[in-house]
Amino acid sequence: NAGVMQNPRHLVRRRGQEARLRCSPMKGHSHVYWYRQLPEEGLKFMVYLQKENIIDESGMPKERFSAEFPKEGPSILRIQQVVRGDSAAYFCASSPPSTGNTIYFGEGSWLTVV
Amino acid sequence: TQLLEQSPQFLSIQEGENLTVYCNSSSVFSSLQWYRQEPGEGPVLLVTVVTGGEVKKLKRLTFQFGDARKDSSLHITAAQPGDTGLYLCAGEVGDYKLSFGAGTTVTVRA
């Protein structure tokens, strides 16, 4: 998973604040995925993006969560008005342009809402 | 509800022993992947199995994909403390989405 860069690695937010998580995919990768991992649960798919396009956001909560992958710069997962239940590890993964390729995970961003 | 059920949830063994982790589903997958995740880190891909009945070996690790492509197992021979970690299986749903099991936490005692 070296090469997929996520920051911050750890983030503490008070209830009601906003959290922004950033992900820079591996070089040459134009597909980005976000997954969320809750304690003692497997990773859950949230969203799949290509440059400037959201391809599948079926795993995103309908409110307060948004994601983008601009033409320039990292992908951003944004959580507005955070609640305690948003506390989790958020993993970004990337893959090359062709479908069916292996995806590579970053080291994660751990969000704690206090 | 987990699409993939992993068992056991926790496994603690002595160095040198063998262990097997199971991943079961009622769904058919085009491929299934095994990952290992260490605390505070992201999942690292160990292997992808694609063909029903396929067996892949990675040093002391043996992965098997069921004939019906609904289940898989991971067997570790002569486990070492370095094998300690969370083992996750993930089935490919469609072209890009992975459905993960909840994982098996393996602890190998020296």
Side-chain angles (χ1 to χ4, degrees), chain B residues 9-104:
Chain B
Q9 188 177 358
F10 299 96
L11 192 56
S12 180
I13 59 169
Q14 201 68 34
E15 182 177 4
E17 294 181 336
N18 302 332
L19 68 96
T20 303
V21 175
Y22 300 93
C23 177
N24 295 295
S25 176
S26 57
S27 300
V28 176
F29 294 101
S30 55
S31 71
L32 195 140
Q33 301 177 3
W34 283 94
Y35 292 82
R36 189 173 85 189
Q37 183 180 17
E38 300 195 20
E41 304 291 334
V44 176
L45 179 68
L46 296 173
V47 78
T48 300
V49 285
V50 179
T51 307
E54 182 177 4
V55 176
K56 278 192 174 178
K57 293 196 174 190
L58 188 67
K59 297 183 180 177
R60 293 177 295 100
L61 278 62
T62 301
F63 304 85
Q64 188 161 7
F65 200 13
D67 292 339
R69 305 207 318 275
K70 292 182 180 181
D71 55 85
S72 182
S73 64
L74 157 61
H75 182 79
I76 302 179
T77 304
Q80 298 175 1
D83 295 325
T84 292
L86 176 66
Y87 288 84
L88 297 161
C89 66
E92 191 172 323
V93 180
D95 288 334
Y96 51 81
K97 194 183 298 185
L98 294 176
S99 178
F100 280 83
T104 295

Side-chain angles (χ1 to χ4, degrees), chain A:
Chain A
N1 58 353
V4 179
M5 305 301 294
Q6 290 189 245
N7 69 83
R9 293 294 315 280
H10 298 275
L11 184 62
V12 179
R13 284 287 177 266
R14 295 187 184 279
R15 280 178 295 171
Q17 290 185 318
E18 179 179 287
R20 281 188 182 227
L21 310 178
R22 289 177 289 277
C23 170
S24 296
M26 285 181 71
K27 187 176 181 180
H29 288 192
S30 57
H31 297 194
V32 164
Y33 315 80
W34 285 93
Y35 283 77
R36 178 166 64 173
Q37 186 176 36
L38 294 167
E40 296 190 10
E41 290 188 24
L43 284 80
K44 304 283 190 207
F45 170 82
M46 298 181 76
V47 63
Y48 164 39
L49 310 105
Q50 296 176 15
K51 284 284 187 181
E52 300 184 279
N53 284 306
I54 298 174
I55 307 302
D56 181 350
E57 56 181 348
S58 59
M60 290 276 273
K62 296 202 184 311
E63 296 178 350
R64 302 187 297 108
F65 284 70
S66 62
E68 62 176 8
F69 189 16
K71 187 176 180 181
E72 300 291 337
S75 175
I76 306 284
L77 179 66
R78 182 183 178 204
I79 311 172
Q80 295 177 288
Q81 299 175 315
V82 295
V83 301
R84 289 226 171 103
D86 296 332
S87 295
Y90 292 84
F91 290 96
C92 171
S94 71
S95 69
S98 305
T99 58
N101 280 284
T102 300
I103 68 171
Y104 297 87
F105 282 88
E107 295 190 326
S109 291
W110 268 256
L111 172 65
T112 302
V113 180
V114 298

